[in-house]
Amino acid sequence: MSRPPIWQVKNEGSFASVSVTLPPGSTFHCESDAVVTTSQNVDVRGAMSGGILAGLARAFLTRESFFTTLVQNNSSHQSGDALIAPSDPGGVTLHRMVRGEDMILTSGAYLAGDEGVNVTSSMQSPFSMFGNYSGTGVFLLRATGQGNLAISAYGSMHKYVLAPGETRNVDNGHLVALSAKMRNSMKNAR
């Protein structure tokens, strides 16, 4: 088994990119058109993640690409690298996924993930105040598994890690991702 890729955000701020160092034989997946450049021993190919129905759901329900891109270092002895960036200028943050601690991402927030991270479309309750009135829509993305997840958004990004019991007010138009275990509610601004 190969070692996992090493991820590093470059140019933090609103024109961020991610440098991914790929040990021999390692792979990651990313949004279509996210790959900017790769070293010569790295192969880039399109794939239908999860099959045709999952691809259709991702494309029509969450405005993500029908295809995902697989980036793989084919060398058995030499590291490779890839530079990825969101198609819209914006910030990128890395989140270390732990098995059993799923993340919910708003439409368009998925940029890339390690091979052990799975990103699928997910439906909120059609009666959810958050989904219906927040601008996020009823369909979101759910990231599961283990490894690095690159999340992007138009503009800059700020990551908050809340302590148990801590709450934070966030304008719904600025929320990009949250823990699937996190409770959220909407209220009127005063």
Side-chain angles (χ1 to χ4, degrees), residues 34-39 81-84:
V35 178
V36 177
T37 184
T38 67
S39 58
D81 65 83
L83 182 70
I84 59 172

Side-chain angles (χ1 to χ4, degrees), residues 161-180:
V161 178
L162 304 182
E166 182 181 358
T167 61
R168 186 161 213 59
N169 297 323
V170 180
D171 182 277
N172 54 3
H174 293 276
L175 184 63
V176 177
L178 65 148
S179 166

Side-chain angles (χ1 to χ4, degrees), residues 3-190:
R3 293 180 322 196
I6 300 165
W7 301 68
Q8 183 181 11
V9 175
K10 300 283 193 178
N11 309 317
E12 290 189 43
S14 34
F15 292 96
S17 57
V18 180
S19 174
V20 184
T21 302
L22 293 144
S26 62
T27 302
F28 74 91
H29 54 84
C30 61
E31 183 61 25
S32 181
D33 295 333
V35 178
V36 177
T37 184
T38 67
S39 58
Q40 67 181 12
N41 53 326
V42 173
D43 183 40
V44 178
R45 66 184 190 282
M48 224 181 338
S49 179
I52 193 162
L53 291 179
L56 287 170
R58 198 172 35 256
F60 290 111
L61 304 177
T62 62
R63 297 187 311 242
E64 298 291 326
S65 175
F66 180 80
F67 293 99
T68 58
T69 300
L70 295 177
V71 182
Q72 181 175 26
N73 181 354
N74 291 320
S75 174
S76 59
H77 61 281
Q78 184 180 1
S79 288
D81 65 83
L83 182 70
I84 59 172
S87 55
D88 291 327
V92 176
T93 191
L94 298 176
H95 178 75
R96 183 79 182 147
M97 297 285 299
V98 176
R99 200 167 304 285
E101 294 187 12
D102 300 0
M103 291 290 292
I104 302 297
L105 288 77
T106 57
S107 184
Y110 162 72
L111 178 60
D114 273 330
E115 196 172 19
V117 175
N118 187 30
V119 180
T120 58
S121 55
S122 177
M123 184 173 148
Q124 298 186 76
S125 166
F127 305 108
S128 163
M129 292 291 284
F130 182 73
N132 288 323
Y133 300 107
S134 69
T136 63
V138 175
F139 295 95
L140 298 172
L141 297 170
R142 178 177 287 264
T144 60
Q146 187 171 323
N148 282 304
L149 174 68
I151 303 167
S152 66
Y154 183 76
S156 62
M157 293 190 54
H158 303 281
K159 182 178 180 177
Y160 291 93
V161 178
L162 304 182
E166 182 181 358
T167 61
R168 186 161 213 59
N169 297 323
V170 180
D171 182 277
N172 54 3
H174 293 276
L175 184 63
V176 177
L178 65 148
S179 166
K181 294 179 182 177
M182 190 175 288
R183 221 185 66 211
N184 59 59
S185 62
M186 289 195 47
K187 63 182 180 181
N188 290 328
R190 297 177 200 194

